[in-house]
Amino acid sequence: MTIEAESSPGRPMRSDARRNYERLLSEARAAFSEQGADASLEEVARRAGVGIGTLYRHFPTRLALVEAVYRDDVDSLGTLADEVRSLPPWEALVAWLTRFVSYAMTKRVLFAELAESVGKDSDLISHCRVAIREAAESVVVRAQNEGVIRRDVDVLDVMRLVGGMTMAPNPDPKQSERLLGLVLDGLRVGAKS
């Protein structure tokens, strides 16, 4: 993600401003996960250890903060897909899908607000959809090419299976972990039935 200066587009942020920006993103993500779409911006600023003015300098509107958190989460999935290339294909797939489950469980809150504000076909949501698909494709296709998961599934099948399991209201992380294990067992070549 490109982080730009608070007041001068195109210039890198000072290190203290960058730390504030990153803390605000992190605390906003946590607040949205815990409290839903109604999380207070004042609470986000307090948790990040900054004043509300600092929050508004970085994110002039609530929507700007929601968009930044959403985009950052999607970007982290792409980064993870690159990072797991050093792992064996099965381990890479498990690591990436585990992070995707966590992302999907918290994204519902942000997605609803974004879809209402900018529309489901906005540039942001379209960009994020493509970025997630490309990241997923890189780990799934690699696992297929190495013969560790079934060849009769495609990326969309995997994403719908894993994404669908996160749609239950108030998902239980333990149950999500167990369900992901079941999905992975079904994908794995040579798994016991």
Side-chain angles (χ1 to χ4, degrees):
M1 171 189 300
T2 303
I3 299 175
E4 296 185 357
E6 294 173 64
S7 58
S8 301
R11 282 193 341 192
M13 276 190 200
R14 296 182 330 259
S15 60
D16 61 329
R18 176 174 285 118
R19 280 189 304 272
N20 287 342
Y21 180 93
E22 290 169 357
R23 276 198 319 261
L24 283 164
L25 277 181
S26 176
E27 294 303 333
R29 180 179 300 106
F32 292 143
S33 295
E34 295 164 11
Q35 302 167 20
D38 297 329
S40 134
L41 296 185
E42 289 80 8
E43 172 70 8
V44 170
R46 185 192 65 72
R47 290 169 68 147
V50 300
I52 192 69
T54 299
L55 183 145
Y56 281 117
R57 270 193 302 282
H58 288 287
F59 308 102
T61 65
R62 176 183 186 79
L63 180 60
L65 178 59
V66 169
E67 286 178 347
V69 170
Y70 191 79
R71 184 180 294 272
D72 190 61
D73 286 351
V74 169
D75 289 347
S76 75
L77 289 170
T79 300
L80 181 61
D82 292 337
E83 290 171 357
V84 298
R85 285 190 184 128
S86 63
L87 297 174
W90 177 255
E91 291 174 29
L93 179 70
V94 171
W96 194 87
L97 286 176
T98 300
R99 172 82 64 85
F100 177 78
V101 167
S102 176
Y103 154 80
M105 288 172 58
T106 57
K107 135 194 154 157
R108 292 181 313 164
V109 172
L110 301 178
F111 185 79
E113 189 166 336
L114 283 172
E116 184 177 311
S117 298
V118 300
K120 289 182 180 182
D121 296 322
S122 71
D123 288 343
L124 171 67
I125 292 175
S126 295
H127 162 79
C128 290
R129 194 176 295 128
V130 168
I132 290 170
R133 182 178 175 91
E134 288 174 353
E137 202 163 68
S138 73
V139 293
V140 169
V141 169
R142 178 175 170 234
Q144 286 175 318
N145 289 342
E146 295 292 327
V148 296
I149 69 169
R150 298 165 50 157
R151 289 191 169 274
D152 63 337
V153 297
D154 63 22
V155 173
L156 187 55
D157 294 333
V158 174
M159 299 308 291
R160 284 192 173 155
L161 279 168
V162 176
M165 63 179 245
T166 66
M167 298 307 292
N170 305 315
D172 174 11
K174 293 271 188 216
Q175 183 183 34
S176 295
E177 187 178 315
R178 193 174 77 248
L179 290 173
L180 179 58
L182 293 170
V183 169
L184 288 166
D185 284 348
L187 292 173
R188 193 169 197 165
V189 169
K192 292 181 182 179
S193 356

